[in-house]
Amino acid sequence: MQELLQSLAPWLDDNAIFTASTLAQYWDGFVNTVQLVFISLLLGLFLAVPLAIGRASPIRVISRMIWLFTWVFRGTPLLIQLYIAYYGLAFIPGVQGSIVWPLIKDPLYPALLAFTLNTAAYTTEIFYGAIKAMPRGELEAARAYGMSPMLAYRRIILPSALRRALPAYGNEVIFMLHASAIASVVTIADLTGVAYNIYSRYYAPFSAFIFVALCYMVLSFAIQGIFRLLEKRMLAHLKPR
């Protein structure tokens, strides 16, 4: 990246907004945004799979507790959840003197916590819907082969449900990318935060924010392309011939 900026330096010298320095800031913001979204989605996915299984459980206590979790996080704005994680956790008695305080005072980790729990709630409901939409024939075939419930989940239900959930989960990934723009309110230097800093310095809102909007569009189209390829490969058997 540094070599690229150096090669563009002669052209950038005549530009007041897009200099080598500002492009380096945009690049850092781009990397921070991708890292924040990717880690949040990965952790949320690992949480959502067992939660979706529990949500579909016939044990009512487990199912209702998970429903309450998803209801709370889907029913409240992500911005409020971020504020609670960043500002609220610091006021819990004993936190500031504990071993987790260095993590809590760093804005990255409260943002990861809020984003992870939020996407876990939405993804849980996506996977739960896919599990409940399983064709009865597949379940009856698993029982006919003498599979235990756990074995049926591992070999039949989960693989089929995750494939069917791909289109909805692709939308969730794009939603989280767009929602990550609020991370700048807790001083994280993501794409939006960098654009605001550059706007504040040069008083050029259109240049700063339109450029960032284009960056989000490029990321969104890349995600759409990846999921389109996955759907084409993993859902080919569902298309009529």
Side-chain angles (χ1 to χ4, degrees):
M1 184 63 184
Q2 294 299 326
E3 291 79 2
L4 177 61
L5 292 176
Q6 289 174 1
S7 65
L8 293 175
W11 178 80
L12 294 172
D13 286 340
D14 297 329
N15 195 305
I17 304 300
F18 297 106
T19 65
S21 174
T22 57
L23 287 181
Q25 293 179 54
Y26 277 121
W27 174 252
D28 291 339
F30 181 89
V31 172
N32 290 338
T33 295
V34 171
Q35 288 179 341
L36 178 62
V37 173
F38 177 77
I39 296 173
S40 299
L41 288 168
L42 186 63
L43 295 176
L45 182 62
F46 281 129
L47 285 174
V49 172
L51 287 175
I53 295 173
R55 179 83 169 84
S57 170
I59 303 175
R60 190 171 180 82
V61 174
I62 296 176
S63 177
R64 298 305 289 179
M65 287 179 62
I66 297 174
W67 170 84
L68 180 62
F69 162 75
T70 61
W71 181 76
V72 168
F73 279 92
R74 294 169 69 218
T76 53
L78 178 55
L79 180 60
I80 302 301
Q81 297 166 19
L82 180 59
Y83 280 152
I84 292 173
Y86 183 63
Y87 297 110
L89 292 179
F91 289 93
I92 297 176
V95 166
Q96 295 190 17
S98 67
I99 60 175
V100 300
W101 175 240
L103 299 178
I104 291 177
K105 69 179 183 180
D106 185 337
L108 174 63
Y109 296 100
L112 275 175
L113 176 64
F115 286 9
T116 296
L117 293 178
N118 185 274
T119 189
Y122 279 94
T123 308
T124 295
E125 288 298 321
I126 290 171
F127 290 166
Y128 167 70
I131 291 172
K132 298 299 287 184
M134 282 280 298
R136 285 188 63 87
E138 294 185 16
L139 299 176
E140 291 172 357
R143 295 192 190 100
Y145 273 100
M147 292 185 181
S148 65
M150 289 302 297
L151 186 61
Y153 257 104
R154 184 163 60 87
R155 292 189 176 180
I156 305 295
I157 299 174
L158 276 183
S160 179
L162 294 180
R163 285 198 299 268
R164 294 172 188 275
L166 267 179
Y169 185 65
N171 291 334
E172 168 62 14
V173 171
I174 294 175
F175 167 79
M176 281 304 301
L177 171 65
H178 295 167
S180 70
I182 68 172
S184 59
V185 302
V186 293
T187 70
I188 292 178
D190 67 336
L191 274 171
T192 305
V194 169
Y196 184 81
N197 292 337
I198 292 173
Y199 151 68
S200 301
R201 180 177 179 182
Y202 295 100
Y203 300 101
F206 287 105
S207 300
F209 291 113
I210 289 177
F211 181 74
V212 164
L214 292 175
C215 292
Y216 281 113
M217 287 178 64
V218 169
L219 285 171
S220 297
F221 282 122
I223 292 170
Q224 288 177 5
I226 291 171
F227 273 89
R228 192 172 292 115
L229 290 175
L230 289 174
E231 291 170 23
K232 186 176 180 180
R233 180 179 179 85
M234 301 182 70
L235 300 179
H237 64 288
L238 298 179
K239 293 183 179 180
R241 300 194 178 189

